[in-house]
Amino acid sequence: MAEHAPPATADTPSADTPAAAATDAGSPAAAREVAARGVSARDVAAAEAVARPRRSDATRAAILAAARDRFAADGYERATIRAIARDADIDPSMVMRYYGNKEGLFAAASEIDLRLPDLTGVPHDEWGARLVRHFLERWESDEVLTGVVRVGVTNEAGAERMRGVFADQLSPVLAAVCPVPEEAPTRAVLISAQIMGMALCRYILRIPQAVGLSRDELVAWLAPTVQRYLTAERP
């Protein structure tokens, strides 16, 4: 006499429901089991479509985290897709599937939002100090910035990335406040030289005198120069 499975409870999906049938869908064995249960392919496809973005997001996050660590540790040239995949515990083909090649992966891993403040809401004579303090806080809370600068010192891909980040994000902020808006790109380069030079000495090369300065001391030294770049009508 055939045995009957116990009835599904409110907390346990029935074997005849799409949710239960699609739980392990994706493997050949699961597909055969789904077919045997009489669940429609449309229901299974719908359930898989819901689950797929979550799996994709988790995979991308793992790849990017591994890539940032590997690029920071090895530099752009020595970092390999195979090593990054191993760190992320996935097959190298998955890295290629999502990012195409190492250059595409580096571009994605080094996406940076500087989260620059709106200086129009800051008192005029505090602009320089506000920017310097902001960059110090960002650098000390985001290892991606440090990693990209480290790569940029020795590799054109990293250098280009940093140039783009500062030009694209800093120039519009300056254009809103500097006395000669059309000079915003030039002034952004000058400010970038101060900020990245400080970052290189303090966070990459770790020159003792730079590391030893407190945040307030760094602001006191750098802010007047940045303020001049922001507000001076002439050099």
Side-chain angles (χ1 to χ4, degrees):
M1 183 174 179
E3 294 184 359
H4 297 282
T9 66
D11 296 325
T12 305
S14 167
D16 294 330
T17 64
T23 301
D24 297 317
S27 68
R32 288 193 297 270
E33 184 179 351
V34 166
R37 291 173 178 172
V39 179
S40 72
R42 179 180 298 178
D43 287 338
V44 175
E48 286 182 322
V50 172
R52 192 175 300 115
R54 292 196 292 270
R55 293 196 298 269
S56 174
D57 290 346
T59 301
R60 288 176 182 271
I63 293 171
L64 291 179
R68 290 178 182 125
D69 290 344
R70 182 62 62 174
F71 283 129
D74 296 349
Y76 181 85
E77 296 296 344
R78 290 191 299 153
T80 66
I81 294 292
R82 187 173 298 278
I84 291 167
R86 184 175 62 248
D87 294 344
D89 195 26
I90 61 171
D91 189 272
S93 64
M94 294 298 292
V95 180
M96 305 299 286
R97 172 185 172 185
Y98 287 121
Y99 299 104
N101 52 35
K102 186 165 75 170
E103 183 177 346
L105 175 58
F106 178 75
S110 58
E111 287 185 359
I112 297 169
D113 182 359
L114 295 177
R115 305 172 195 167
L116 293 169
D118 179 4
L119 295 179
T120 59
V122 177
H124 178 279
D125 60 352
E126 296 178 13
W127 288 348
R130 182 69 184 88
L131 267 185
V132 173
R133 191 173 295 279
H134 173 81
F135 276 113
L136 287 171
E137 292 170 353
R138 288 289 289 114
W139 239 290
E140 292 172 5
S141 64
D142 189 348
E143 293 183 359
V144 176
L145 273 171
T146 304
V148 174
V149 172
R150 184 179 288 112
V151 174
V153 172
T154 58
N155 178 265
E156 178 58 26
E160 179 63 27
R161 191 64 175 162
M162 288 305 296
R163 285 194 293 267
V165 166
F166 275 82
D168 294 344
Q169 298 185 40
L170 189 54
S171 292
V173 174
L174 270 59
V177 297
C178 73
V180 189
E182 59 268 25
E183 292 181 356
T186 299
R187 294 173 186 243
V189 168
L190 294 170
I191 292 173
S192 298
Q194 293 291 320
I195 299 300
M196 286 196 283
M198 176 273 298
L200 179 65
C201 293
R202 184 176 175 89
Y203 304 116
I204 307 298
L205 301 177
R206 298 193 61 81
I207 296 174
Q209 291 81 0
V211 175
L213 289 170
S214 69
R215 187 180 296 182
D216 288 341
E217 288 173 322
L218 277 171
V219 172
W221 278 108
L222 294 177
T225 299
V226 172
Q227 180 77 14
R228 184 167 66 86
Y229 291 153
L230 282 164
T231 61
E233 294 187 5
R234 298 178 182 83

